[in-house]
């Protein structure tokens, strides 16, 4: 029973066959739980709608750094009001993206800080988006005392030294499709070194499709390929890896195992 800790099943790429993708994940790939992400006004609404419809799908809600320049005070108040929803298990994804720089960096940083403060206020873990911004992400997490709520470094892309800093701050390490890529040395190293009780698996579907489907649309059932790759790297069975990572995700997100 696999737990996909980061999916975008509300993405438009699934509009034509969403129900079939979800059915395949459960019946053919052994996915038992999914955390689906709402990261702006539109996707927060659709993430909650999916969580309401499917028992095994949960929601994380927050504001992506790409859209930071559009977030208003009212949006943050709205997000806070939604944290009472029984299927909302985390805030995010939030963080910094210095690769695309779709929003000014100072705006990204302020929106990130405000969401961490909200997470501490409501007592929910956070899901971090970090692209080419390791030092600033780490500094903000420390300054805003993010260790009080912890969370997950989604689609972790740093080295082992950075991973250790994240672990020290009460964060889990999330790994997805890149760990299956032939020449992806860093994700494979991280997959082997992260303590088994601090590891999560994810798809980020429809993005970051694992081998051998790379180049095509990703789907939540492919989390099984991520799990298989990590299990092989760690010298353990798929079943054991699934058991550990599912327990980890349930513990982080406060879901009954």
């Amino acid at each position: 029973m696999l737990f996909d800790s980061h999916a975008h099943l509300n993405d438009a790429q699934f509009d034509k066959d969403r129900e079939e993708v979800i059915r395949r994940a459960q019946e053919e790939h052994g996915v038992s739980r999914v955390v689906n992400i709402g990261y702006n006004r539109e996707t927060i609404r659709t993430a909650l709608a999916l969580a309401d419809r499917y028992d095994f799908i949960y929601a994380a809600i927050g504001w992506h750094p790409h859209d930071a320049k559009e977030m208003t005070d009212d949006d943050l108040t709205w997000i806070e009001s939604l944290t009472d929803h029984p299927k909302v298990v985390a805030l995010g994804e939030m963080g910094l993206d210095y690769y695309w720089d779709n929003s000014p960096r100072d705006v990204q940083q302020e929106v990130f800080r405000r969401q961490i403060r909200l997470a501490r206020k409501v007592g929910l873990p956070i899901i971090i988006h970090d692209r080419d911004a390791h030092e600033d992400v780490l500094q903000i997490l420390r300054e805003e005392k993010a260790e009080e709520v912890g969370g997950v470094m989604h689609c972790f892309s740093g080295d082992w030294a950075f991973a250790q800093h994240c672990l020290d701050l009460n964060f889990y390490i999330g790994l997805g499709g890149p760990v299956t890529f032939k020449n992806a040395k860093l994700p494979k190293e991280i997959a082997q070194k992260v303590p088994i009780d601090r590891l999560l698996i994810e798809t980020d579907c429809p993005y970051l499709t694992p081998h051998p489907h790379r180049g095509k649309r990703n789907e939540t059932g492919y989390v099984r390929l991520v799990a298989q790759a990590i299990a092989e790297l760690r010298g353990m069975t798929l079943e054991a890896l699934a058991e550990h990572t599912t327990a980890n995700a349930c513990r982080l997100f406060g879901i009954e195992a």
Side-chain angles (χ1 to χ4, degrees), residues 8 31 33 36 38 51 70 73-74 86 128 146 158 163 172 180 183-184 195 233:
H8 297 278
V31 175
R33 296 175 185 86
N36 195 70
E70 298 176 5
D73 291 346
D74 287 345
I128 303 300
Y172 290 73
T180 71
N183 295 320
L233 286 165

Side-chain angles (χ1 to χ4, degrees), residues 11-78:
D11 190 273
Q13 292 188 48
F14 295 113
D15 283 352
K16 293 183 178 179
D17 64 345
R18 184 171 291 106
E19 290 186 9
E20 176 62 18
V21 167
I22 292 172
R23 184 201 63 77
R24 275 200 300 271
Q26 278 192 298
E27 297 180 9
E28 299 178 18
H29 300 293
V31 175
S32 62
R33 296 175 185 86
V34 179
V35 170
N36 195 70
I37 312 298
Y39 57 84
N40 57 23
R41 293 181 198 105
E42 178 185 358
T43 59
I44 287 172
R45 292 188 181 95
T46 54
L48 290 172
L50 271 179
D52 284 335
R53 182 172 180 181
Y54 293 95
D55 288 344
F56 76 107
I57 296 179
Y58 298 83
I61 57 173
W63 215 265
H64 197 287
H66 287 346
D67 303 305
K69 61 189 176 186
E70 298 176 5
M71 195 191 82
T72 66
D73 291 346
D74 287 345
D75 289 320
L76 198 63
T77 300
W78 176 56

Side-chain angles (χ1 to χ4, degrees), residues 199-210:
L199 179 65
L200 300 186
I201 54 176
E202 62 173 75
T203 59
D204 200 25
C205 67
Y207 316 107
L208 293 177
T209 312

Side-chain angles (χ1 to χ4, degrees), residues 1-4 30 32-33 172 196-201 223-224 227-228 230-231 234 236-252 255-257:
M1 302 300 282
L2 298 157
F3 195 135
D4 182 1
S32 62
R33 296 175 185 86
Y172 290 73
I196 191 62
D197 64 343
R198 302 295 290 281
L199 179 65
L200 300 186
I201 54 176
V223 74
R224 188 178 191 89
Q228 287 173 336
I230 295 174
R234 296 183 72 104
M236 60 194 301
T237 65
L238 172 63
E239 290 74 20
L241 191 281
E243 181 178 352
H244 280 289
T245 52
T246 295
N248 295 345
C250 288
R251 184 168 61 251
L252 172 63
I255 297 170
E256 187 174 343

Side-chain angles (χ1 to χ4, degrees), residues 36-129:
N36 195 70
I37 312 298
Y39 57 84
N40 57 23
R41 293 181 198 105
E42 178 185 358
T43 59
I44 287 172
R45 292 188 181 95
T46 54
L48 290 172
L50 271 179
D52 284 335
R53 182 172 180 181
Y54 293 95
D55 288 344
F56 76 107
I57 296 179
Y58 298 83
I61 57 173
W63 215 265
H64 197 287
H66 287 346
D67 303 305
K69 61 189 176 186
E70 298 176 5
M71 195 191 82
T72 66
D73 291 346
D74 287 345
D75 289 320
L76 198 63
T77 300
W78 176 56
I79 289 171
E80 181 175 356
S81 74
L82 295 174
T83 59
D84 288 334
H85 190 293
K87 296 294 286 292
V88 170
V89 296
L91 291 186
E93 61 189 281
M94 65 180 76
L96 304 175
D97 193 310
Y98 290 174
Y99 179 81
W100 291 109
D101 274 332
N102 286 353
S103 289
R105 293 185 179 184
D106 62 329
V107 176
Q108 291 187 47
Q109 292 171 15
E110 180 59 22
V111 168
F112 186 21
R113 289 181 185 275
R114 294 183 71 187
Q115 290 184 90
I116 297 172
R117 292 168 196 160
L118 175 58
R120 290 174 58 209
K121 179 180 178 181
V122 300
L124 285 175
I126 56 180
I127 297 175
I128 303 300
H129 175 104

